[in-house]
Amino acid sequence: MKIVADDKIPYIREALARITPDVVYKRGSAIAAADVRDADALIVRTRTRCDERLLGGSSVRFVATATIGFDHIDTGFMARAGIEWTNCPGCNASSVGQYVRSALLLLARDCGLRLPGATLGVVGCGHVGREVCAVGRGLGMSVLVCDPPLGLPGFVGMDEIERRADVITFHVPLTDGGGCPTRHLADAAFFGRLTRRPFVINTSRGPVVDNRALKEALATGRVRQAVIDTWENEPLIDTSLLRMVYIGTPHIAGYSADGKANADNMVIEALCRFFGLENPGRIVPPPLPAGFRYDGDPLQLYNPLDDSARLKARPADFEELRGNYPLRREVFDCAGS
């Protein structure tokens, strides 16, 4: 059995080695048709476009993406080709929740946001959106939820988000068709309708927020400040927008070690189930370094300003910063403590 895997998926190599000795690791954006021609399975992240150009005529029967999003997978081709595929819904929801919690605490500390009583507008209520709703309520915020495809009782329309929210945070997939397309959901018209000069957070997909329109909204004060983790045209991001935002990070909101281990386990479980193999055992994230001191402040476990400072200093290294991300834990788990 041959597996081709993105070489930046952490913690997974030992488990794959227990399944087969024939595993080829390559940079995700560099995986080509020749690499997968004789492979049985492909394990990727968002940088590998899984379509007929890559997989047509190959022996691949199973594709797993160690991510929540799957807009890089041509699902129509997969169905026509009879290739099973899976993503990892909810794997890093708590990681994104940690990112948003830390961002809100920093906006309160540095940018004048008063958390108790402020209104958080959550656009998209899947696994991540529900986690972020809980974060907002835990910080004493009033939470509005907009998700037209779900249309659950108590949800509101975008007009109420635009009118009432002090913070607007996006947690939707990137879609172009259907009744609720999300590409440029936050466009110039959206920013023009805002009434409360809100803070804007985007950890979903870059094109959900029109980056040019966001720059104009920041420049004119329609948006008070922004926290941007996902960008249009990644990794070639708009450096002028990067300089304008309060926090700008290289698409790592879901990159806690806990979230990565969750994704690994979901991938391994799906792989073994599809091929009828014994699961080699659960992957656990590494502990924090011995001697790490924690007094209960969430910003000690994770402060996104650190990631922002690195990206603002080295925007051309977007992919390197993302691919070689330092250890980040959601919980205090320290070796030797």
Side-chain angles (χ1 to χ4, degrees):
M1 179 179 180
K2 179 178 178 179
I3 299 173
V4 176
D6 186 310
D7 66 0
K8 292 301 188 292
I9 298 175
Y11 319 136
I12 202 171
R13 295 194 181 210
E14 184 178 344
L16 291 180
R18 292 176 181 167
I19 292 171
T20 176
D22 193 1
V23 185
V24 175
Y25 294 96
K26 291 200 69 173
R27 189 172 78 253
S29 60
I31 295 174
D35 301 312
V36 301
R37 185 170 294 121
D38 61 345
D40 300 288
L42 173 64
I43 303 174
V44 300
R45 300 185 304 155
T46 57
R47 293 300 188 249
T48 306
R49 176 67 182 169
C50 298
D51 55 12
E52 186 171 7
R53 183 175 179 179
L54 178 67
L55 297 167
S58 76
S59 58
V60 171
R61 294 185 286 149
F62 176 85
V63 173
T65 180
T67 60
I68 292 176
F70 55 88
D71 47 279
H72 53 294
I73 294 179
D74 185 339
T75 58
F77 165 73
M78 294 292 193
R80 293 192 302 272
I83 300 173
E84 182 84 6
W85 69 273
T86 187
N87 63 323
C88 298
C91 65
N92 60 5
S94 59
S95 178
V96 178
Q98 180 190 42
Y99 181 99
V100 173
R101 179 187 293 107
S102 292
L104 291 170
L105 291 172
L106 289 166
L107 289 170
R109 189 190 75 182
D110 297 340
C111 301
L113 174 64
R114 296 184 178 182
L115 289 172
T119 298
L120 177 67
V122 179
V123 182
C125 197
H127 293 282
V128 175
R130 290 195 295 273
E131 184 75 22
V132 170
C133 288
V135 165
R137 294 183 182 109
L139 293 173
M141 304 180 78
S142 173
V143 177
L144 300 175
V145 183
C146 176
D147 195 323
L150 287 180
L152 296 178
F155 284 12
V156 302
M158 282 297 292
D159 57 335
E160 284 205 55
I161 298 287
E162 294 161 357
R163 181 169 54 87
R164 296 173 54 192
D166 300 295
V167 181
I168 302 175
T169 181
F170 293 92
H171 304 286
V172 296
L174 178 62
T175 60
D176 289 293
C180 302
T182 62
R183 185 180 296 274
H184 284 189
L185 178 62
D187 58 6
F190 164 85
F191 290 117
R193 292 189 296 265
L194 299 177
T195 61
R196 296 182 64 83
R197 295 186 63 240
F199 300 95
V200 169
I201 301 173
N202 186 22
T203 62
S204 57
R205 285 292 184 265
V208 168
V209 173
D210 182 333
N211 284 193
R212 182 177 297 182
L214 175 59
K215 284 170 61 175
E216 178 68 15
L218 286 165
T220 59
R222 302 291 298 185
V223 167
R224 194 178 310 181
Q225 249 310 346
V227 175
I228 304 298
D229 181 58
T230 54
W231 308 76
E232 291 196 272
N233 305 312
E234 292 178 14
L236 304 176
I237 67 173
D238 185 333
T239 54
S240 61
L241 177 59
L242 175 63
R243 290 191 295 270
M244 294 174 75
V245 301
Y246 170 57
I247 295 173
T249 50
H251 200 156
I252 48 72
Y255 267 34
S256 73
D258 308 76
K260 291 177 179 181
N262 287 340
D264 289 348
N265 286 314
M266 294 171 77
V267 165
I268 294 296
E269 181 181 351
L271 176 77
C272 291
R273 183 170 59 247
F274 179 80
F275 288 102
L277 304 170
E278 183 179 353
N279 192 312
R282 187 161 184 80
I283 298 167
V284 296
L288 291 164
F292 181 88
R293 294 291 178 261
Y294 180 56
D295 63 11
D297 180 359
L299 294 175
Q300 283 182 292
L301 281 178
Y302 179 55
N303 187 331
L305 282 174
D306 297 334
D307 288 326
S308 183
R310 284 188 283 267
L311 182 61
K312 289 185 176 186
R314 300 160 49 199
D317 293 337
F318 188 101
E319 287 293 79
E320 179 184 341
L321 293 169
R322 188 170 188 248
N324 298 288
Y325 192 64
L327 175 65
R328 166 181 149 209
R329 291 300 309 272
E330 297 171 33
V331 297
F332 178 54
D333 179 7
C334 182
S337 63

